[in-house]
Amino acid sequence: MIDFPEIVYPLLAGFVLDLLIGDPHWLPHPVRWFGWLISKGEAQLNKGDGRRWKGAFLTLVLVLFVFFVLWLGLKLLPEKSVVFYVITSVFVFYGLANRSLIYESLLVIRRLKSEGIKAGRKQLSMIVGRDTRNLDEQQIRTAVLETLAENLSDGVIAPLFYYALGGIPGMLAYKMVNTLDSMIGYKSERYRDFGFFAAHLDDVLNFVPARLTAFLMVLVTFSRRGFQYLFRFGRQHSSPNAGYPEAALAGILNARFGGPNMYHGKWVNKPFIGENPRKLTDSDIYKTCRINFAVAAVFVLVICIFYVSIFRIL
């Protein structure tokens, strides 16, 4: 029988913790340990022949290692104890990144306004993969909005989705996949083969969460245009998933995202998402931050209602 307190209570506690403190740099974080493991594995395996197979091997080993270590560790904890609820709540907190996503996005805008465009570009470079050195204010705000939309999916809704399906082990295993993709999932000469499997696994795991994120964004804003843009522009992105939340946001704001940009020293001619090339403002950023919070809160509520309902049925 599913015992809803073991799912719902850590979910609510971890969600509130993320809202309150986010991801302070002084606090140890599993994702940093994930990054260390990936770096060590990549240094040992990303050379010679068979790099695609080596990358797939490293990806599977690390993901399965995270899942089974956490699964076994939680099995060893006393059920329904204070220790169990504290540890699982902390892991939910570690699995979410909405507070830090919103904070880092707003920090770009604050530095842009208070210190000028060079400071804004520098701060933006810490959260995006594109070359920020020559971006104007419009392009900086566009990048912030795209980041808020895309990372709402893979930094908040996707971890919650896999928590709902697989508990803490599922949530953190997903975080390992996402960290692998962010570190080795590039199409550069160094990672094209080695990161091939990690990048495609990340695409598969984000297929449902990305579309769910876009639907929730439209739902909480009651935006008819946002819903229409999902179907018109959702596929207008090099990623099979990122275009959907970006298209929803473009519709909600009646704005236009995408377009040509510099990534890792190469000019990438990306298609536009949306139609209105209007000037973006700080109010667009603030509105999107409120949307991010609303979407996360609604999805947490949906998961809670689902598990409470299942418990009553069983």
Side-chain angles (χ1 to χ4, degrees):
M1 180 181 291
I2 297 173
D3 197 350
F4 79 88
E6 296 183 3
I7 293 291
V8 171
Y9 293 169
L11 173 60
L12 293 174
F15 181 67
V16 171
L17 273 175
D18 178 65
L19 291 180
L20 292 176
I21 64 176
D23 180 23
H25 294 295
W26 54 265
L27 189 67
H29 199 291
V31 170
R32 298 190 187 106
W33 301 337
F34 293 174
W36 181 83
L37 289 171
I38 294 165
S39 295
K40 291 295 183 181
E42 190 267 340
Q44 292 294 318
L45 297 176
N46 191 15
K47 51 190 174 184
D49 297 328
R51 296 191 186 194
R52 183 168 294 192
W53 295 107
K54 292 175 182 177
F57 173 76
L58 177 67
T59 298
L60 289 174
V61 166
L62 291 180
V63 173
L64 292 173
F65 171 77
V66 169
F67 183 90
F68 284 110
V69 165
L70 286 169
W71 177 81
L72 179 60
L74 293 177
K75 286 290 184 183
L76 297 176
L77 295 177
E79 293 183 3
K80 300 180 183 179
S81 65
V82 173
V83 172
F84 175 87
Y85 285 119
V86 168
I87 290 177
T88 51
S89 297
V90 169
F91 272 115
V92 171
F93 157 70
Y94 279 139
L96 298 175
N98 209 30
R99 168 67 183 266
S100 60
L101 168 63
I102 291 172
Y103 173 79
E104 294 294 338
S105 299
L106 291 176
L107 190 58
V108 174
I109 301 306
R110 292 193 190 108
R111 294 201 65 187
L112 177 64
K113 291 175 65 177
S114 63
E115 301 176 44
I117 193 165
K118 289 186 178 179
R121 290 168 178 164
K122 183 177 180 180
Q123 191 65 43
L124 178 64
S125 69
M126 299 180 184
I127 61 172
V128 300
R130 72 193 66 182
D131 189 338
T132 65
R133 289 174 295 180
N134 297 310
L135 299 185
D136 58 28
E137 288 194 17
Q138 173 78 352
Q139 291 169 319
I140 290 174
R141 288 189 173 87
T142 298
V144 170
L145 289 168
E146 290 174 349
T147 298
L148 280 166
E150 182 177 350
N151 286 289
L152 174 61
S153 174
D154 59 23
V156 184
I157 300 303
L160 289 172
F161 180 79
Y162 287 103
Y163 176 77
L165 292 180
I168 296 297
M171 187 184 212
L172 272 295
Y174 167 79
K175 293 293 287 187
M176 173 57 88
V177 173
N178 195 241
T179 307
L180 281 157
D181 179 62
S182 68
M183 292 183 65
I184 65 173
Y186 296 108
K187 295 180 180 179
S188 63
E189 184 65 28
R190 178 175 177 177
Y191 296 120
R192 183 178 294 110
D193 288 329
F194 190 75
F196 177 85
F197 183 81
H200 283 270
L201 181 58
D202 185 76
D203 287 342
V204 170
L205 293 183
N206 279 300
F207 185 88
V208 173
R211 287 149 182 82
L212 178 60
T213 301
F215 174 76
L216 289 172
M217 293 171 73
V218 172
L219 181 67
V220 301
T221 57
F222 303 101
S223 174
R224 179 183 297 180
R225 184 173 50 241
F227 184 73
Q228 293 170 342
Y229 275 27
L230 288 181
F231 299 96
R232 292 184 59 190
F233 298 104
R235 296 182 180 180
Q236 297 291 95
H237 199 287
S238 58
S239 164
N241 300 314
Y244 287 89
E246 287 187 21
L249 185 60
I252 292 165
L253 299 179
N254 190 22
R256 188 177 75 176
F257 303 144
N261 256 304
M262 188 72 72
Y263 289 86
H264 307 290
K266 294 184 179 180
W267 190 255
V268 180
N269 191 23
K270 297 170 61 178
F272 287 104
I273 296 175
E275 293 180 325
N276 188 0
R278 69 173 179 84
K279 183 178 179 180
L280 298 170
T281 65
D282 292 348
S283 64
D284 293 314
I285 309 292
Y286 302 143
K287 180 177 181 179
T288 303
C289 290
R290 292 193 294 271
I291 292 170
N292 277 34
F293 169 76
V295 166
V298 166
F299 193 45
V300 167
L301 180 62
V302 168
I303 295 172
C304 292
I305 292 172
F306 173 79
Y307 271 98
V308 170
S309 301
I310 290 294
F311 177 76
R312 287 181 176 176
I313 291 171
L314 296 177

